[in-house]
Amino acid sequence: MSQFLAPRPVQRLAKFIAAGTAALCLTAALTATLQAQTIGVSIPAATHGWAGGLNFHAEQTKARLEAANPGLKVVLVTANSASEQANDLEDLVAIHRMDALVILPFESAPLTGPVANAKRRGVFVTVVDRGLSEPGIQDVYVAGNNAEMGRVSGEYIRQRLNDSGKIVVLRGMPTVIDEQRFDGFMSALEGGGVDVLDDQYANWNRDDGFTVMQDFLSRFPEIDAVWAQDDDIAIGVIQAVRQARRQDELFIVGGGGMKDIVKRVMDGDKLTPVDVLYPPSMISTAMELTALKFVSDTPIEGEYILGSPLITQDNAEEYYFPDSPF
Amino acid sequence: MNKLDLKTAGPFIALIVIFVIGVFVNEAFLSAGNLSNILARSSFIGIVAIGATFVITTGGIDLSVGSMAAFISGCMILLMNGLMETFDSLVLIIFLAVLASAAIGALAGLVNGLLTTKAKIEAFIVTLGTMGIYRSLVTYMADGGTLSLNFTLGDVYSEVYYGTLLGLPYPVWVFLAVAILGYVLLNMTVFGRHCFAVGSNESVARYSAINVDRVKTATYILQGLCVSIATIIYVPRLGSASGQTGILWELEAIAAVIIGGTMLKGGYGRIWGTVVGALILTLIGNILNLTDAVSNYLNGAVQGVIVIVAVYLQRGRR
């Protein structure tokens, strides 16, 4: 810099102009930054199918929002654990000076404090799917309905089996989400003639879905339906059932809305006649709503609980996203 | 002599006890279908664990095998889907993918081996690092979702997992072949004796003119090849790979090796013990699925207790 400042007159003039231009640009940039609104979006990393879908929809929505609203900046960060997500929140506040936060908490309890801190700094808070442990922090809450998802699955199986038959259940992992789905499912079967032979955890993945279903098939000579609760598990179940050549005696109800399963439903596959939606695209709902706060006067504060509709052959096309990884 | 026999028999006794428990838990346990499922299922961990027996006998450790399996699966699927446009012969495509799988496995093993021996970084750290790398790579390749094998191709390839020879699924035969080769290599060759020597005392082995670095690197390459073989029979099962593939395989493989009587600190290894160890681990999971006597929440505890008891059986009495 110093050698640049000790030059001949012509260069000095050039330097003067350059500096002036730079200063002007800087001022313009600063003004733009001051006017731009930043939305921080913090979600779990794409470590399994559903989260992959979540990331896909978040990125799509970010691109769409930024293109449609030049004054809006969306910063998307992904975390592999609750503590990493807490660090992300600090960065979003300190470095990106976000005006609004859209967060799908890794776990409710450990992130309640960090989100409350952001809120205290005047950040508008939208919480997605997993509620915080304390009320009154979030401005907007967007979530799927796990109990409803279980209930819709249970009702379909009960009605399809004319209220009598034997079924097995493959659960996810021992978490609140799984518990709510399972309880909703069981409440739909209550007092009826559908007999749940057994339930086992399949950890929301294909391999365990395959193994657990193989063992159910060895153990129970008669199975009329399978509730796989999640589409990844369902893929494993389908293979196990095919291997045992028992695809004509039962049907499978998954959950989530994975493209492979929705495609099967669309094609009228008898083994997977329906699927129950638990849309990862709920992140888009949350981001769009939050953006509305800055680009319009629309009142948006409140709770939005998305339904878990039954995906059937008739409506499957609406829920089919061939480009999504999920 | 008597004591040695008891030690050798330990894992086998544990296997028989668990087997008998299985028979009492559910009559479906003894059905041909269930037994063949158990054997086919244990072949993944079993084959990986045979490789791990070499690494551990030589005093090393490889934590990257699970992620490596996921990564190789992902590469195979992408390659096969890509080759669909170039070649018409599905069998040729599968053959090329199998070759590529072996090459990637060997190369990945070589990297682990060289970083351990030439760069002198502890195997635990090297393989912890590569474990994270392969896991992220497969997640990246799958865009956070799942890579799926082309349907027509999957149909042909699935024969490798679901097909049978003399009533036993192919994976079981592969498992058996790898076990026999492993046994011969570890117990009847110079290389095997060098593995024992390096694991017992590296300095002494070096003074005895054993090329320690080469022996160690070779065990990691063997491990990589074993992972590749496991992958070759894993991919046709579900025709997919994701960030979830092969999760915790490294721990299951190490557990199978130790249950089988190989010393974690190196110097002594036993291939047949490892095979039994892999069978025990699979049996526990299978039996827990066949009963509702144990709460789902306690499955992990039951597995933990059995693993500890099985190891106690072969170590406790000296």
Side-chain angles (χ1 to χ4, degrees), chain A residues 49 52 62 68 135 176 180 194 218 228 240 272:
Chain A
K62 169 183 153 75
V176 179
Q180 288 174 343
V194 174
S218 313
T272 48

Side-chain angles (χ1 to χ4, degrees), chain A:
Chain A
M1 204 61 183
S2 58
Q3 62 204 104
F4 207 72
L5 284 176
R8 285 166 286 169
V10 180
Q11 270 193 356
R12 192 175 292 158
L13 181 64
K15 166 66 187 157
F16 179 75
I17 294 169
T21 320
L24 271 175
C25 287
L26 192 63
T27 322
L30 270 177
T31 328
T33 320
L34 285 178
Q35 283 169 348
Q37 304 287 348
T38 303
I39 300 180
V41 179
S42 169
I43 53 178
T47 48
H48 62 274
W50 193 85
L54 184 77
N55 278 265
F56 169 80
H57 287 290
E59 269 167 35
Q60 296 259 310
T61 312
K62 169 183 153 75
R64 190 167 64 231
L65 283 177
E66 287 183 336
N69 313 288
L72 203 63
K73 198 176 144 209
V74 178
V75 181
L76 178 64
V77 289
T78 62
N80 281 302
S81 67
S83 59
E84 204 181 309
Q85 197 171 25
N87 295 345
D88 285 348
L89 289 193
E90 286 171 7
D91 291 349
L92 283 173
V93 171
I95 300 170
H96 298 287
R97 309 204 172 272
M98 62 175 169
D99 304 285
L101 168 69
V102 177
I103 180 168
L104 198 160
F106 224 95
E107 285 172 62
S108 303
L111 283 154
T112 300
V115 174
N117 279 339
K119 174 76 186 170
R120 237 172 273 136
R121 304 234 189 149
V123 172
F124 183 88
V125 173
T126 299
V127 175
V128 188
D129 201 33
R130 266 161 250 177
L132 300 171
S133 317
E134 274 177 48
I137 300 172
Q138 72 230 10
D139 298 291
V140 173
Y141 179 60
V142 178
N145 189 335
N146 286 300
E148 160 99 353
M149 187 218 195
R151 195 180 54 74
V152 168
S153 313
E155 275 170 1
Y156 174 80
I157 288 178
R158 187 170 179 174
Q159 169 242 320
R160 168 83 191 265
L161 292 177
N162 293 322
D163 208 8
S164 99
K166 294 176 173 156
I167 67 166
V168 290
V169 173
L170 291 91
R171 304 176 64 170
M173 285 175 186
T175 58
V176 179
I177 296 173
D178 178 77
E179 209 69 51
Q180 288 174 343
R181 289 182 181 179
F182 186 71
D183 291 346
F185 182 82
M186 294 308 277
S187 74
L189 297 186
E190 219 168 63
V194 174
D195 182 15
V196 177
L197 296 169
D198 193 16
D199 63 276
Q200 293 281 352
Y201 289 110
N203 303 319
W204 281 315
N205 80 48
R206 296 178 180 198
D207 289 309
D208 291 343
F210 180 80
T211 327
V212 171
M213 192 60 205
Q214 270 193 331
D215 290 344
F216 277 155
L217 289 165
S218 313
R219 185 172 153 197
F220 303 115
E222 193 195 326
I223 299 174
D224 300 311
V226 183
W227 183 43
Q229 203 224 67
D230 169 81
D231 288 340
D232 264 316
I233 299 178
I235 297 262
V237 171
I238 291 171
Q239 288 302 108
V241 170
R242 282 217 181 116
Q243 184 198 22
R245 298 185 205 289
R246 284 168 69 172
Q247 57 267 49
D248 293 330
E249 66 176 74
L250 52 79
F251 65 91
I252 302 158
V253 178
M258 177 193 285
K259 61 180 176 185
D260 311 39
I261 300 286
V262 175
K263 182 79 172 47
R264 283 168 189 272
V265 173
M266 205 154 76
D267 296 345
D269 185 348
K270 286 204 172 61
L271 198 53
T272 48
V274 294
D275 197 13
V276 181
L277 186 71
Y278 195 81
S281 51
M282 66 175 71
I283 191 70
S284 307
T285 315
M287 288 166 70
E288 299 273 8
L289 272 171
T290 311
L292 274 183
K293 171 79 186 168
F294 297 109
V295 299
S296 74
D297 298 328
T298 320
I300 55 159
E301 287 82 353
E303 300 200 342
Y304 302 80
I305 307 299
L306 305 178
S308 268
L310 195 66
I311 304 177
T312 62
Q313 194 177 0
D314 299 329
N315 66 4
E317 207 156 342
E318 282 175 53
Y319 304 104
Y320 184 55
F321 302 103
D323 298 332
S324 162
F326 181 65

Side-chain angles (χ1 to χ4, degrees), chain A residues 46-48 52 179 198-201 203 205-207 210-212 214-215 218-219 232 236 239 243 260 325, chain B residues 26 28 34 37 41 139 143-146 148 162 234 237-238 240 244 286 288-292 296-297 299:
Chain A
T47 48
H48 62 274
E179 209 69 51
D198 193 16
D199 63 276
Q200 293 281 352
Y201 289 110
N203 303 319
N205 80 48
R206 296 178 180 198
D207 289 309
F210 180 80
T211 327
V212 171
Q214 270 193 331
D215 290 344
S218 313
R219 185 172 153 197
D232 264 316
Q239 288 302 108
Q243 184 198 22
D260 311 39
Chain B
N26 198 317
N34 189 52
N37 283 347
R41 230 180 262 173
T139 309
D143 223 353
T146 304
S148 295
Y162 295 104
Y234 167 83
R237 184 167 88 169
L238 296 176
S240 63
Q244 292 269 301
N286 176 249
L288 287 172
N289 280 344
L290 291 182
T291 173
D292 31 355
N296 277 336
Y297 303 114
N299 279 3

